[in-house]
Amino acid sequence: MTPLVEVTDLTVEFARSGDPVRAVDGLSFTLDEGRALALVGESGSGKSTVAGALLGLHRGTGAKVGGTVRVGGIDVGTAGPGELRRLRGGVAAMVFQDPLSALDPYYAVGDQIAEVYRVHAGGSRRAARARAVEVLGRVGIADAARRSRSRPHEFSGGMRQRALLAMALACEPRLLVADEPTTALDVTVQAQILDLLHELRRETGTALLLVTHDVGVAAESVDEVLVMRAGRQIERGPVDGVLGAPAESYTRRLLAAVPRLDGPVRAPEDRSRKGEPLLEALDLRKEFGRGGKAVTAVEGASLAVHAGETLGVVGESGSGKTTLGRMLVRLLDPTSGRLRYGGTEIGALPERELRHRRRELQMVFQDPVASLNPRRSVGESIADPLRVAGERDETRIRARVRELLDRVGLDPDRYEAYPHEFSGGQRQRVGIARALAAEPRLIVCDEPVSALDVTTQAQVTALLAELQAELGLGLVFIAHDLAVVRQVSDRVAVMRAGRIVEQGTVTEVYGAPRDPYTRQLLAAVPSLDPLRAAERRERRQELAVA
């Protein structure tokens, strides 16, 4: 039987200043009808470039594509406009990583799905609208007829990803190409999307090419794994073989970097309960809006952080984690409640001392692209806290910034470089350097590794641990990835709907969770064992029916 996908000696080069960059270098693989293959690797390994090549998305971009790509019998490289149109939607469909970018903000979600259906399948507007409602219901959007009239901003992140899946499935493609479909989703929504992909494949026989840097996601979703590095295949085989007994050292390193619920935790030193807390929150509450339209984001949150200790804060999107973190560093003022720093209530401090204390409470943001000014060099961004503190000597400022760049593992000579010249992990290091410039005693890290591949993630968490040990920092580590939080934290607070429902040591919360919500979160964390992943998927389905 002829494979659905045949890729032979694929090369993709992009023109950049200087020499061209070869993103994919001689890659070959096949994918049969109804099967699922994951492309796994670090950022920059060429995974998404391969996915784009399957649908001819590099045409007209200036990229130089070599080799042969055939999908459903169509030679993608030589196909004319009509054949490409038939390929995109009718034979293969793509689910992109960022649904906000892939969906038009001005049009209702149902109208966008209906338009895709009409382009590829024809038919009347009424039939297209009916098909849009049908597939939205199929991917688990409740009250699909009404919600089809909603615009993308009215959907949550998980619902937007479901809408993209509905759009891809509207024309009943034989191949679904999913490019990081669960990146930045919390664990319960991620589990729902992965379960949905599995169910759709089982019911429709659709083949799946999954692009992911999350090895656990691959274990949950596919039959085979192809590990990529620098545009080349490193290893390929059945998912249980590659993840259970990898043959290549690079694959072993990749797997070793994955945080696990059964992996090592921080050494149980007595750093977390010595003396007075560095920062203490008492019954914090935050409301947005007024009157009948007011929304309570955080309600009755109390916690404490000691010097040298890491408090992990976990919960789903919308649970109030980020709002709580911003109140802790006074980027947001609480509606009510008290915040003590060094034993003194912050609200009672004189303005001058308050400004000084605020310098000692810093934040590392989730998205370094958004938090760094693209028109200023990274050196100038790092220098900002020094200038705010009153430093005027440019020689001393430059020397301190160079020292900070070196301290976080970046080249000090890149002072004049701009954010777009750095990788995601490097930009996060810049954000850490900027926070350190103020000489803080406590740093709140808001999802600092959520969009990073596992090896870069491990590097950033190791850097934070090293800095903490050296400087005695208190850290609040906010994340939706429970395995990462377990690895880096001394104590953990679990949030749901604005409230802390459980908190305790890592051993207490992960080993013997008291709250049903905590148990639900832990059950949704992907397993690297495909057999265990299948058992957990069945268990989730049983709970959903019950």
Side-chain angles (χ1 to χ4, degrees):
M1 185 175 67
T2 303
L4 176 62
V5 177
E6 297 177 90
V7 175
T8 306
D9 199 25
L10 175 65
T11 61
V12 183
E13 288 187 351
F14 295 104
R16 302 274 170 86
S17 54
D19 296 330
V21 175
R22 180 163 285 196
V24 181
D25 190 5
L27 187 70
S28 300
F29 66 89
T30 59
L31 176 61
D32 291 333
E33 297 269 5
R35 302 288 288 174
L37 170 68
L39 301 183
V40 175
E42 297 170 284
S43 298
S45 61
K47 308 184 301 293
S48 294
T49 304
V50 174
L54 296 187
L55 281 86
L57 299 184
H58 301 306
R59 286 197 178 187
T61 66
K64 184 179 178 182
V65 180
T68 304
V69 176
R70 298 182 68 86
V71 179
I74 297 172
D75 188 324
V76 180
T78 61
E83 274 194 305
L84 272 184
R85 191 177 300 113
R86 182 165 67 87
L87 168 69
R88 299 168 180 169
V91 178
M94 192 159 185
V95 178
F96 293 93
Q97 177 175 346
D98 183 3
L100 269 183
S101 298
L103 292 168
D104 192 315
Y106 292 102
Y107 294 96
V109 168
D111 290 343
Q112 296 183 57
I113 297 172
E115 180 65 19
V116 168
Y117 182 76
R118 290 194 73 204
V119 166
H120 293 289
S124 66
R125 290 183 183 276
R126 181 188 293 271
R129 282 285 306 170
R131 178 60 176 163
V133 172
E134 179 187 346
V135 291
L136 281 171
R138 181 66 198 82
V139 299
I141 300 290
D143 196 4
R146 180 179 65 85
R147 295 314 302 266
S148 70
R149 297 189 288 273
S150 301
R151 288 175 171 77
H153 73 274
E154 299 177 270
F155 278 19
S156 68
M159 288 175 66
R160 285 193 291 264
Q161 199 60 277
R162 288 173 184 266
L164 278 188
L165 271 173
M167 185 180 292
L169 294 168
C171 299
E172 300 181 346
R174 296 160 62 191
L175 169 68
L176 192 63
V177 180
D179 187 3
E180 299 280 9
T182 60
T183 295
L185 297 179
D186 58 61
V187 287
T188 52
V189 178
Q190 174 179 268
Q192 292 166 12
I193 296 296
L194 295 178
D195 289 349
L196 176 60
L197 281 171
H198 178 79
E199 188 178 347
L200 290 169
R201 283 187 55 232
R202 186 183 61 191
E203 291 184 1
T204 65
T206 304
L208 173 67
L209 182 84
L210 176 68
V211 172
T212 182
H213 65 251
D214 189 327
V215 184
V217 167
E220 292 263 351
S221 313
V222 300
D223 308 306
E224 290 187 282
V225 173
L226 192 160
V227 180
M228 292 187 65
R229 185 185 190 189
R232 291 179 171 272
Q233 174 180 314
I234 298 297
E235 183 168 356
R236 180 185 177 182
V239 61
D240 53 349
V242 172
L243 301 187
E248 299 296 328
S249 58
Y250 173 74
T251 309
R252 290 194 290 273
R253 290 200 302 273
L254 200 64
L255 290 170
V258 178
R260 307 175 187 228
L261 289 182
D262 59 353
V265 296
R266 284 165 63 107
E269 299 172 15
D270 189 23
R271 59 174 162 256
S272 58
R273 311 314 302 162
K274 284 184 177 178
E276 189 175 71
L278 180 63
L279 184 71
E280 191 173 11
L282 303 169
D283 202 27
L284 289 187
R285 184 171 188 270
K286 182 61 182 178
E287 269 188 10
F288 293 101
R290 294 181 179 179
K293 295 184 178 179
V295 174
T296 301
V298 174
E299 180 70 72
S302 298
L303 53 82
V305 188
H306 289 68
E309 175 190 35
T310 298
L311 173 69
V313 180
V314 299
E316 295 173 286
S317 299
S319 61
K321 306 186 301 294
T322 293
T323 300
L324 175 61
R326 288 172 180 256
M327 285 194 288
L328 294 180
V329 297
R330 295 306 297 265
L331 288 177
L332 286 174
D333 290 325
T335 303
S336 62
R338 292 176 293 160
L339 197 63
R340 291 180 185 154
Y341 175 66
T344 304
E345 195 163 324
I346 289 180
L349 292 172
E351 183 61 30
R352 185 176 214 177
E353 188 174 351
L354 179 60
R355 285 199 303 270
H356 175 73
R357 291 296 179 96
R358 277 179 167 169
R359 285 186 57 216
E360 296 180 357
L361 304 171
Q362 291 293 314
M363 194 159 191
V364 174
F365 297 93
Q366 175 176 356
D367 184 0
V369 175
S371 61
L372 294 171
N373 189 330
R375 294 181 176 85
R376 301 181 69 214
S377 73
V378 297
E380 288 300 300
S381 291
I382 295 170
D384 282 342
L386 301 174
R387 295 194 173 103
V388 168
E391 180 62 71
R392 295 291 178 265
D393 188 312
E394 287 300 315
T395 301
R396 282 204 294 265
I397 288 173
R398 279 189 166 263
R400 177 60 176 153
V401 171
R402 287 175 59 86
E403 178 186 324
L404 288 166
L405 285 168
D406 182 62
R407 185 64 197 82
V408 298
L410 296 173
D411 184 350
D413 292 334
R414 301 194 72 185
Y415 184 108
E416 301 295 348
Y418 287 83
H420 72 271
E421 300 178 66
F422 292 82
S423 68
Q426 289 174 328
R427 283 193 291 261
Q428 201 58 280
R429 289 172 184 264
V430 171
I432 294 169
R434 182 175 58 183
L436 291 175
E439 298 183 353
R441 296 184 63 199
L442 181 136
I443 298 178
V444 173
C445 302
D446 186 12
E447 297 279 10
V449 297
S450 65
L452 303 179
D453 61 61
V454 289
T455 49
T456 307
Q457 187 180 87
Q459 292 164 7
V460 171
T461 54
L463 171 63
L464 287 169
E466 186 180 327
L467 292 168
Q468 183 180 50
E470 179 184 321
L471 303 173
L473 297 171
L475 290 178
V476 177
F477 194 96
I478 297 171
H480 63 254
D481 189 326
L482 277 78
V484 172
V485 169
R486 179 182 180 276
Q487 187 180 58
V488 304
S489 303
D490 300 294
R491 292 185 301 113
V492 180
V494 182
M495 292 193 71
R496 184 185 192 187
R499 294 182 176 274
I500 295 175
V501 298
E502 182 167 357
Q503 60 178 311
T505 66
V506 167
T507 302
E508 291 167 347
V509 173
Y510 284 79
R514 300 186 307 275
D515 194 271
Y517 176 68
T518 308
R519 294 195 289 271
Q520 178 187 341
L521 287 179
L522 291 170
V525 177
S527 170
L528 287 180
D529 181 346
L531 291 177
R532 189 177 179 201
E535 292 170 358
R536 292 171 64 167
R537 180 167 54 242
E538 290 177 6
R539 177 60 180 155
R540 288 195 296 265
Q541 290 171 345
E542 291 171 1
L543 291 173
V545 171

